[in-house]
Each structure stands twice: as structure tokens, then as C-alpha cells.
Amino acid sequence: MSRPTAPHADHPDLRADCGNCFGLCCVALPFARSADFAADKAAGTPCSNLQEDFGCGIHDRLRERGYPGCTVFDCFGAGQKVSQVTFGGRSWRTEPGSARTMYEVFPVVRQLHELLRYTAEALDLPAAGAAHRELREAYDRLDALTRDTADTLLAADVPALRAEVNAHLLRASELARAAVPGKKKNHRGADLLGARRRGAKLRGATLRGACLIAADLSGADLRDADLIGADMRDANLCGADLTGALFLTQPQLNAARGDAATRIPAGLRRPEHWAS
């Protein structure tokens, strides 16, 4: 896997490539029978739908079969990194002795790749140019760590790294949103569970870490809003404008509800389950 010299948010290294992964999200991670998963599965146990080629047997009908939780998960490229770089293309099936370590490394690299994805997006923001040097340095350090040994990865202080990188991301967000005219609303970490915000004027607002579960944001203006870490499960985005939204990810869109009138940032795709 080549090292990106000019990172950007939609770089192939930061997108899941299931064809080069050993089905790690389907094995390493646990899930419980619920509205998101049709059955219980313990960590380190292959999902019953995992095939011999590491593909998912019901990938094109996960929601119909009771596994919507799988559709809102994204490893941001960590799966293929662990499979092909950390373990050199040797799977947990061919080398069972490596399985436990591989399963422990995967969630670590997944967190690092999430940080890489956010950092790459910040580097794509021209208005955040004053923060680009620190962001590029952070990106290079994170990228180098993801290519290190399993032992080094397991010893990494991920919370400390997250706090360090988040300071740079926050600065980039503030610089980018400063160009938005008018007063920007601050809903950072807000509990907006089920809130009625139909048609809300939230352009350039910060909704970092906000709980937007089942919130009605239909027709809302969310242009240039910072949505990093916002919980958007079942949020109504029908007719909303998310053009230029900062740090919005595909899993967040997949977890929400929208329609053909919902405007989304370039680089993200309209979920298939959204209303036409």
C-alpha cells in the first residue's frame, strides 16, 4: 500500500477496500442482537454471513436481513492496512496464531485511520491554510504509526493522539467557518435528541459531538457546519443542505434519513435507502 504524498479525504488509503481485507470488521468486533443486528456475535468470532473469500454473503441486502448496523460502519481503510501492511497479507485463517493480535490491532488502526481521514479533509480546506503545517505534520506521524509493527500499534496512546489532533482539527474548523457570514450557532456536544429543527438556519454552526438522534433537520441549512462526531442516527435530513459540511462521514449519512432533495458534500454518496 503506497504512502500518499498529498493526502486528501477521498484518497484510496482512507476508503474501505473489502477486497484486500480479511473480513476484520466481521470477525474482530462484537455485536448484540438488537434493531441494528439480527443476532449476537462475540469479538473474535466470524459472523455467520462471512464467506470463505472474506466477503459478506448478504452485503446487498443487509438492511432487509436485519443488519443495518453494518451499513453504518466504516473502517476508513484500516481493514486493508492491517491485512496487507501490518500482517503482510497473511490472514487469520492461514495463520491462526496471529488471529488474536490481528483482532486487537484492528480497532486501534481504525481509530488512527479515522483521525487520518479528518486530518486529510482539513488539509483540503483552503481557508484553513494557517493550520496546514501542523495538520500535515500530524498526518505524517499518524500515517507512519499505522505502518509500524503490531506491538507498536498496541502500545500507542490513542486518546492522547486524538486529543492532540483534535486541537488542530478544531483550529481548522474555526478558520474555515470564519469565512461564513453572520453569527454562527454553537451546539457543540448539545443534546438535540428528537429536536424539532425543521428549516433551521445552521450554516457555519458547530455541532461537534452533538446528539442528533431522530432530530428533525428537514430543510435545514447545514452548509459549512462542523459535524465531526455528531450522532445522526435516524435524523431527518430530507431537503436539508449539507453542502460543504465539515468532517461529515459516509456512516453518518447512512445512519440518517434523507431524500433526493438533500444536498450532500462532494465525495460522499447518497445512501440507497433514502427516499427518492
Side-chain angles (χ1 to χ4, degrees):
M1 186 176 297
S2 61
R3 183 189 304 271
T5 56
H8 48 86
D10 61 349
H11 193 283
D13 281 5
L14 303 179
R15 295 200 305 266
D17 178 5
C18 298
N20 281 304
C21 176
F22 299 137
L24 295 183
C25 64
C26 306
V27 184
L29 306 179
F31 53 73
R33 185 182 180 90
S34 63
D36 292 322
F37 299 100
D40 294 318
K41 189 191 82 66
T45 301
C47 174
S48 61
N49 297 305
L50 186 66
Q51 300 179 309
E52 286 299 313
D53 63 356
F54 302 112
C56 173
I58 59 170
H59 187 266
D60 58 348
R61 53 190 188 281
L62 283 165
R63 288 182 174 272
E64 303 95 283
R65 296 291 294 273
Y67 289 87
C70 295
T71 70
V72 299
F73 176 82
D74 193 335
C75 74
F76 300 104
Q80 67 261 27
K81 176 71 72 63
V82 173
S83 299
Q84 304 302 327
V85 177
T86 314
F87 288 88
R90 299 180 298 276
S91 80
W92 48 270
R93 280 187 175 139
T94 56
E95 294 189 9
S98 69
R100 181 175 179 178
T101 302
M102 188 178 294
Y103 302 157
E104 292 174 346
V105 166
F106 173 63
V108 173
V109 178
R110 193 267 178 193
Q111 292 182 73
L112 297 176
H113 264 248
E114 181 180 26
L115 290 174
L116 281 172
R117 193 268 184 198
Y118 289 142
T119 305
E121 179 175 340
L123 285 165
D124 285 341
L125 300 173
H132 281 182
R133 181 177 64 82
E134 293 85 356
L135 286 164
R136 182 58 204 246
E137 290 174 354
Y139 186 97
D140 288 344
R141 289 198 303 273
L142 288 170
D143 182 64
L145 178 57
T146 66
R147 298 171 189 279
D148 215 319
T149 65
D151 287 343
T152 299
L153 285 162
L154 291 175
D157 188 344
V158 176
L161 288 169
R162 185 177 293 277
E164 176 189 345
V165 174
N166 188 59
H168 301 314
L169 296 176
L170 180 58
R171 185 182 180 214
S173 171
E174 291 171 344
L175 288 167
R177 291 183 298 109
V180 177
K183 185 177 181 179
K184 274 75 73 176
K185 295 181 180 179
N186 185 354
H187 294 300
R188 183 176 183 180
D191 183 359
L192 297 173
L193 174 68
R196 298 180 180 178
R197 294 292 189 272
R198 183 181 181 89
K201 306 302 182 184
L202 295 168
R203 185 177 184 187
T206 177
L207 289 154
R208 296 170 67 90
C211 175
L212 301 174
I213 298 174
D216 183 1
L217 294 167
S218 57
D221 184 356
L222 289 159
R223 289 176 293 168
D224 305 301
D226 185 342
L227 292 165
I228 193 169
D231 191 336
M232 301 176 68
R233 285 177 291 171
D234 204 34
N236 183 356
L237 298 177
C238 293
D241 190 350
L242 293 101
T243 305
L246 304 177
F247 308 120
L248 179 67
T249 64
Q250 192 64 51
Q252 286 173 302
L253 284 182
N254 291 350
R257 293 180 290 119
D259 60 12
T262 306
R263 301 182 66 180
I264 62 177
L268 298 178
R269 62 184 183 279
R270 193 175 306 277
E272 294 181 0
H273 68 278
W274 280 14
S276 57

